[in-house]
Amino acid sequence: MEDISVGHSRCDLMVTDQATVAVTWADQNRTDRLVFNFGCKDPENGPMAQVLSGAPDILPVGKFIEDRRLEDGAWDRHQFTDQWYGPR
């Protein structure tokens, strides 16, 4: 388990209100999990952020992320609907 977010040694440069992604992979012997907050702007996180942001286009996971698309480390949200937040 690796949680790269506030308090992690790779998250000294933190920008708030950024998306977080959690990736879990397993085999017969072990389960691993990575949690990454895109607000962690430390330079060594750049390549990982780029790979993770491309995952919906590379892997067949788009339907599992509620029709949201991750590009360049930021959420491109569809228009919010009244059913989520009530009348505006």
Side-chain angles (χ1 to χ4, degrees):
M1 168 75 179
E2 180 100 30
D3 186 348
I4 301 174
S5 57
V6 175
H8 190 280
S9 63
R10 289 179 60 171
C11 196
D12 289 331
L13 301 171
M14 179 65 183
V15 177
T16 61
D17 299 328
Q18 298 293 302
T20 297
V21 64
V23 180
T24 303
W25 57 100
D27 65 17
Q28 298 156 342
N29 302 316
R30 172 180 174 163
T31 299
D32 287 312
R33 181 176 168 100
L34 168 68
V35 177
F36 179 71
N37 185 309
F38 284 93
C40 295
K41 298 296 185 182
D42 295 42
E44 65 267 26
N45 295 333
M48 179 172 48
Q50 188 172 14
V51 169
L52 290 171
S53 68
D57 294 328
I58 297 168
L59 302 171
V61 297
K63 295 293 182 187
F64 296 111
I65 55 175
E66 302 176 28
D67 292 328
R68 296 176 186 169
R69 186 173 168 179
L70 199 56
E71 294 180 1
D72 300 325
W75 285 107
D76 178 18
R77 297 183 188 272
H78 294 280
Q79 291 294 318
F80 297 119
T81 63
D82 289 344
Q83 90 184 54
W84 292 354
Y85 293 101
R88 296 176 202 202

